[in-house]
PDB file of all heavy atoms in Angstrom:
ATOM      1  N   ALA B 129      16.760  -9.241  15.698  1.00 95.00           N
ATOM      2  CA  ALA B 129      16.597  -9.167  17.146  1.00 95.00           C
ATOM      3  C   ALA B 129      17.829  -9.703  17.870  1.00 95.00           C
ATOM      4  O   ALA B 129      18.196  -9.218  18.947  1.00 95.00           O
ATOM      5  CB  ALA B 129      15.350  -9.930  17.570  1.00 95.00           C
ATOM      6  N   ALA B 130      18.469 -10.714  17.274  1.00 96.00           N
ATOM      7  CA  ALA B 130      19.669 -11.280  17.880  1.00 96.00           C
ATOM      8  C   ALA B 130      20.867 -10.344  17.733  1.00 96.00           C
ATOM      9  O   ALA B 130      21.787 -10.356  18.560  1.00 96.00           O
ATOM     10  CB  ALA B 130      19.984 -12.634  17.239  1.00 96.00           C
ATOM     11  N   ALA B 131      20.840  -9.512  16.691  1.00 94.00           N
ATOM     12  CA  ALA B 131      21.982  -8.646  16.406  1.00 94.00           C
ATOM     13  C   ALA B 131      21.886  -7.267  17.052  1.00 94.00           C
ATOM     14  O   ALA B 131      22.912  -6.624  17.305  1.00 94.00           O
ATOM     15  CB  ALA B 131      22.137  -8.489  14.891  1.00 94.00           C
ATOM     16  N   LEU B 132      20.658  -6.796  17.308  1.00 95.00           N
ATOM     17  CA  LEU B 132      20.491  -5.421  17.774  1.00 95.00           C
ATOM     18  C   LEU B 132      19.378  -5.348  18.812  1.00 95.00           C
ATOM     19  O   LEU B 132      18.216  -5.628  18.509  1.00 95.00           O
ATOM     20  CB  LEU B 132      20.154  -4.511  16.582  1.00 95.00           C
ATOM     21  CG  LEU B 132      20.149  -3.005  16.809  1.00 95.00           C
ATOM     22  CD1 LEU B 132      21.534  -2.517  17.250  1.00 95.00           C
ATOM     23  CD2 LEU B 132      19.719  -2.284  15.535  1.00 95.00           C
ATOM     24  N   ASP B 133      19.740  -4.969  20.043  1.00 96.00           N
ATOM     25  CA  ASP B 133      18.746  -4.873  21.100  1.00 96.00           C
ATOM     26  C   ASP B 133      18.276  -3.432  21.279  1.00 96.00           C
ATOM     27  O   ASP B 133      18.681  -2.535  20.535  1.00 96.00           O
ATOM     28  CB  ASP B 133      19.288  -5.450  22.409  1.00 96.00           C
ATOM     29  CG  ASP B 133      20.515  -4.689  22.927  1.00 96.00           C
ATOM     30  OD1 ASP B 133      20.837  -3.602  22.388  1.00 96.00           O
ATOM     31  OD2 ASP B 133      21.147  -5.194  23.879  1.00 96.00           O
ATOM     32  N   VAL B 134      17.423  -3.201  22.268  1.00 97.00           N
ATOM     33  CA  VAL B 134      16.851  -1.869  22.500  1.00 97.00           C
ATOM     34  C   VAL B 134      17.947  -0.843  22.762  1.00 97.00           C
ATOM     35  O   VAL B 134      17.921   0.266  22.206  1.00 97.00           O
ATOM     36  CB  VAL B 134      15.845  -1.915  23.673  1.00 97.00           C
ATOM     37  CG1 VAL B 134      15.387  -0.509  24.036  1.00 97.00           C
ATOM     38  CG2 VAL B 134      14.648  -2.796  23.322  1.00 97.00           C
ATOM     39  N   ALA B 135      18.913  -1.197  23.589  1.00 97.00           N
ATOM     40  CA  ALA B 135      19.997  -0.267  23.888  1.00 97.00           C
ATOM     41  C   ALA B 135      20.799   0.062  22.636  1.00 97.00           C
ATOM     42  O   ALA B 135      21.205   1.214  22.424  1.00 97.00           O
ATOM     43  CB  ALA B 135      20.908  -0.851  24.972  1.00 97.00           C
ATOM     44  N   GLY B 136      20.997  -0.928  21.801  1.00 96.00           N
ATOM     45  CA  GLY B 136      21.742  -0.706  20.559  1.00 96.00           C
ATOM     46  C   GLY B 136      21.024   0.238  19.617  1.00 96.00           C
ATOM     47  O   GLY B 136      21.651   1.082  18.963  1.00 96.00           O
ATOM     48  N   VAL B 137      19.701   0.116  19.527  1.00 97.00           N
ATOM     49  CA  VAL B 137      18.916   1.030  18.698  1.00 97.00           C
ATOM     50  C   VAL B 137      19.032   2.455  19.239  1.00 97.00           C
ATOM     51  O   VAL B 137      19.238   3.414  18.489  1.00 97.00           O
ATOM     52  CB  VAL B 137      17.438   0.588  18.630  1.00 97.00           C
ATOM     53  CG1 VAL B 137      16.584   1.663  17.965  1.00 97.00           C
ATOM     54  CG2 VAL B 137      17.310  -0.728  17.880  1.00 97.00           C
ATOM     55  N   GLY B 138      18.909   2.595  20.565  1.00 97.00           N
ATOM     56  CA  GLY B 138      19.050   3.911  21.180  1.00 97.00           C
ATOM     57  C   GLY B 138      20.424   4.508  20.931  1.00 97.00           C
ATOM     58  O   GLY B 138      20.557   5.701  20.617  1.00 97.00           O
ATOM     59  N   ASP B 139      21.462   3.685  21.056  1.00 96.00           N
ATOM     60  CA  ASP B 139      22.830   4.160  20.810  1.00 96.00           C
ATOM     61  C   ASP B 139      23.003   4.616  19.364  1.00 96.00           C
ATOM     62  O   ASP B 139      23.635   5.645  19.094  1.00 96.00           O
ATOM     63  CB  ASP B 139      23.838   3.040  21.104  1.00 96.00           C
ATOM     64  CG  ASP B 139      23.943   2.720  22.590  1.00 96.00           C
ATOM     65  OD1 ASP B 139      23.447   3.524  23.416  1.00 96.00           O
ATOM     66  OD2 ASP B 139      24.504   1.655  22.921  1.00 96.00           O
ATOM     67  N   ALA B 140      22.439   3.845  18.428  1.00 95.00           N
ATOM     68  CA  ALA B 140      22.572   4.180  17.010  1.00 95.00           C
ATOM     69  C   ALA B 140      21.868   5.500  16.691  1.00 95.00           C
ATOM     70  O   ALA B 140      22.404   6.355  15.965  1.00 95.00           O
ATOM     71  CB  ALA B 140      22.001   3.049  16.156  1.00 95.00           C
ATOM     72  N   TRP B 141      20.658   5.679  17.246  1.00 97.00           N
ATOM     73  CA  TRP B 141      19.926   6.932  17.002  1.00 97.00           C
ATOM     74  C   TRP B 141      20.657   8.111  17.644  1.00 97.00           C
ATOM     75  O   TRP B 141      20.731   9.201  17.065  1.00 97.00           O
ATOM     76  CB  TRP B 141      18.502   6.816  17.520  1.00 97.00           C
ATOM     77  CG  TRP B 141      17.663   7.997  17.130  1.00 97.00           C
ATOM     78  CD1 TRP B 141      17.224   9.008  17.945  1.00 97.00           C
ATOM     79  CD2 TRP B 141      17.162   8.307  15.824  1.00 97.00           C
ATOM     80  NE1 TRP B 141      16.488   9.914  17.230  1.00 97.00           N
ATOM     81  CE2 TRP B 141      16.436   9.515  15.926  1.00 97.00           C
ATOM     82  CE3 TRP B 141      17.259   7.675  14.581  1.00 97.00           C
ATOM     83  CZ2 TRP B 141      15.807  10.111  14.833  1.00 97.00           C
ATOM     84  CZ3 TRP B 141      16.628   8.263  13.490  1.00 97.00           C
ATOM     85  CH2 TRP B 141      15.929   9.462  13.618  1.00 97.00           C
ATOM     86  N   ALA B 142      21.230   7.908  18.828  1.00 97.00           N
ATOM     87  CA  ALA B 142      21.989   8.971  19.496  1.00 97.00           C
ATOM     88  C   ALA B 142      23.203   9.369  18.660  1.00 97.00           C
ATOM     89  O   ALA B 142      23.550  10.558  18.581  1.00 97.00           O
ATOM     90  CB  ALA B 142      22.428   8.512  20.889  1.00 97.00           C
ATOM     91  N   GLN B 143      23.823   8.392  18.010  1.00 96.00           N
ATOM     92  CA  GLN B 143      24.973   8.692  17.157  1.00 96.00           C
ATOM     93  C   GLN B 143      24.542   9.542  15.958  1.00 96.00           C
ATOM     94  O   GLN B 143      25.241  10.484  15.575  1.00 96.00           O
ATOM     95  CB  GLN B 143      25.623   7.398  16.675  1.00 96.00           C
ATOM     96  CG  GLN B 143      26.878   7.626  15.854  1.00 96.00           C
ATOM     97  CD  GLN B 143      27.548   6.330  15.449  1.00 96.00           C
ATOM     98  OE1 GLN B 143      27.030   5.244  15.691  1.00 96.00           O
ATOM     99  NE2 GLN B 143      28.712   6.442  14.833  1.00 96.00           N
ATOM    100  N   VAL B 144      23.385   9.227  15.381  1.00 96.00           N
ATOM    101  CA  VAL B 144      22.875  10.013  14.260  1.00 96.00           C
ATOM    102  C   VAL B 144      22.606  11.451  14.701  1.00 96.00           C
ATOM    103  O   VAL B 144      23.024  12.417  14.051  1.00 96.00           O
ATOM    104  CB  VAL B 144      21.592   9.376  13.681  1.00 96.00           C
ATOM    105  CG1 VAL B 144      20.942  10.310  12.668  1.00 96.00           C
ATOM    106  CG2 VAL B 144      21.905   8.029  13.042  1.00 96.00           C
TER     107      VAL B 144
END
Side-chain angles (χ1 to χ4, degrees):
L132 189 61
D133 62 10
V134 173
V137 170
D139 290 346
W141 188 253
Q143 184 177 6
V144 171

